[in-house]
Amino acid sequence: MNKSIFYHAGCPVCVSAEHDIVNLVGADNVEVVNIGENRVRISEAEKAGVNSVPALVTPNGNTLHINFGASMADVKG
Amino acid sequence: MNKSIFYHAGCPVCVSAEHDIVNLVGADNVEVVNIGENRVRISEAEKAGVNSVPALVTPNGNTLHINFGASMADVKG
């Protein structure tokens, strides 16, 4: 995995953080995944250690939770 | 301000996040400030909206709180 993955759920905190991350890292270097809409990827996010969104999973597999939008329980509920 | 500023306090969560952010954004694009040691910059961080460390203040002035290492109260205490 060479790209980072930014998981979000469409909430205002997520959208703001997405803009910042894309500006900082570069759009070509990050895949943006809305797990509120693309629910099949929720389990993948959880396996990567995502406890809340927005979160950025780095190419080396670390998960950075950014601010706090919604817990995974909220996204699934 | 063209660089981001990464505020931390030397805690393990901070050090891990620092490595990730520097790798993602590039060392030339981020100033790293340890407000545990460089305490004169605590008030600057608070004015930028930093509530906990580690946090990244972007060039456009947004504050991204990353994971959770320590509250500002802990750093000051």
Side-chain angles (χ1 to χ4, degrees), chain A residues 6 13 17 21 53-56 64-69, chain B residues 64-67:
Chain A
F6 181 82
V13 169
I21 292 294
V53 284
L56 185 73
L64 302 176
H65 295 97
I66 299 166
N67 293 339
F68 188 84
Chain B
L64 301 176
H65 295 97
I66 299 166
N67 294 340

Side-chain angles (χ1 to χ4, degrees), chain B:
Chain B
M1 165 167 85
N2 296 315
K3 279 192 177 190
S4 299
I5 306 178
F6 181 82
Y7 293 101
H8 73 100
C11 56
V13 169
C14 294
V15 172
S16 172
E18 178 188 335
H19 290 164
D20 290 328
I21 292 293
V22 168
N23 284 339
L24 290 170
V25 177
D28 291 344
N29 298 317
V30 57
E31 179 187 6
V32 176
V33 177
N34 183 336
I35 56 172
E37 295 174 347
N38 197 349
R39 301 179 69 82
V40 69
R41 298 192 65 173
I42 289 178
S43 62
E44 163 201 305
E46 287 184 316
K47 278 184 199 152
V50 173
N51 296 320
S52 62
V53 285
L56 186 73
V57 178
T58 69
N60 60 12
N62 289 343
T63 298
L64 301 176
H65 295 97
I66 299 166
N67 294 340
F68 188 84
S71 71
M72 291 302 270
D74 288 337
V75 173
K76 289 195 281 188

Side-chain angles (χ1 to χ4, degrees), chain A:
Chain A
M1 167 166 85
N2 296 315
K3 278 192 177 189
S4 298
I5 306 178
F6 181 82
Y7 293 101
H8 73 99
C11 55
V13 169
C14 294
V15 171
S16 172
E18 178 188 335
H19 291 164
D20 290 328
I21 292 294
V22 168
N23 284 340
L24 289 170
V25 178
D28 291 344
N29 298 318
V30 58
E31 178 188 6
V32 176
V33 177
N34 183 336
I35 56 172
E37 295 174 348
N38 196 351
R39 301 179 69 82
V40 68
R41 299 192 63 173
I42 289 178
S43 62
E44 163 200 305
E46 286 184 315
K47 278 184 199 154
V50 173
N51 297 320
S52 62
V53 284
L56 185 73
V57 178
T58 68
N60 59 12
N62 289 343
T63 297
L64 302 176
H65 295 97
I66 299 166
N67 293 339
F68 188 84
S71 70
M72 291 302 271
D74 289 337
V75 174
K76 290 194 279 187

